[in-house]
Amino acid sequence: MAENTGVRHSGAPADRGRTTVADVVVAKIAGMAARDVPGVHDLGSGFARSMGSVRERMPGAGSGKSVTRGVDVEVGELQAAIELGIVVEYGFSITDVAGEVRESLISAVERMASREVVEVNITVGDVKLPDEEDEGEEQQRIR
């Protein structure tokens, strides 16, 4: 027989408390969603990518590309706004890639973080030409 403790809860358990989503969480979701779009070569401006490649080679700095490089977000309790810098691969329509990136980001952030995305501003800072080496590849060759 169950004992009655006298504690009565009203409402569903999911409604008891508040969930806060940090800006870095939304930035990571946005970064991953943008990288998955065909035609996106990299995220960030040329300077940000250069600094990122230097940082990646530093001992103890972790491995791999920073998922949030080139991504700035502003997250509220119900909404989010995203600023994104991308490099588009040569041959892809910039407007089509930007549109697909926007759709991918909005879908991922709204699904995973339950925040309405009110805007996604995209800056295309470069076009990756077929014969260009990545900055990281060039730096490794110079060693």
Side-chain angles (χ1 to χ4, degrees):
M1 188 160 156
E3 184 178 319
N4 185 353
T5 61
V7 177
R8 302 190 85 213
H9 294 284
S10 61
D15 295 334
R16 296 182 205 158
R18 187 169 73 174
T19 302
T20 303
V21 178
D23 289 6
V24 69
V25 172
V26 174
K28 285 183 177 184
I29 293 168
M32 290 301 294
R35 290 180 193 282
D36 286 344
V37 174
V40 173
H41 175 73
D42 205 352
L43 301 184
S45 67
F47 179 74
R49 291 191 334 268
S50 295
M51 293 308 296
S53 67
V54 168
R55 191 173 30 248
E56 288 165 7
R57 288 190 305 280
M58 294 177 69
S63 61
K65 295 180 180 179
S66 171
V67 176
T68 61
R69 182 176 63 220
V71 183
D72 290 315
V73 300
E74 193 174 318
V75 182
E77 286 187 34
L78 302 174
Q79 298 177 324
I82 302 167
E83 302 275 335
L84 180 72
I86 64 172
V87 176
V88 175
E89 293 180 17
Y90 179 81
F92 284 83
S93 164
I94 291 172
T95 55
D96 289 350
V97 170
E100 290 179 35
V101 166
R102 198 169 275 113
E103 287 180 28
S104 180
L105 264 65
I106 291 169
S107 174
V109 170
E110 289 184 350
R111 179 177 49 83
M112 294 176 69
S114 299
R115 298 299 183 270
E116 176 192 11
V117 178
V118 293
E119 66 180 358
V120 177
N121 297 316
I122 299 171
T123 300
V124 178
D126 202 356
V127 173
K128 169 66 169 76
L129 301 176
D131 58 346
E132 283 182 331
E133 289 184 6
D134 285 337
E135 290 160 5
E137 292 173 8
E138 183 179 316
Q139 293 291 335
Q140 288 176 343
R141 193 171 41 110
I142 292 174
R143 286 184 181 190

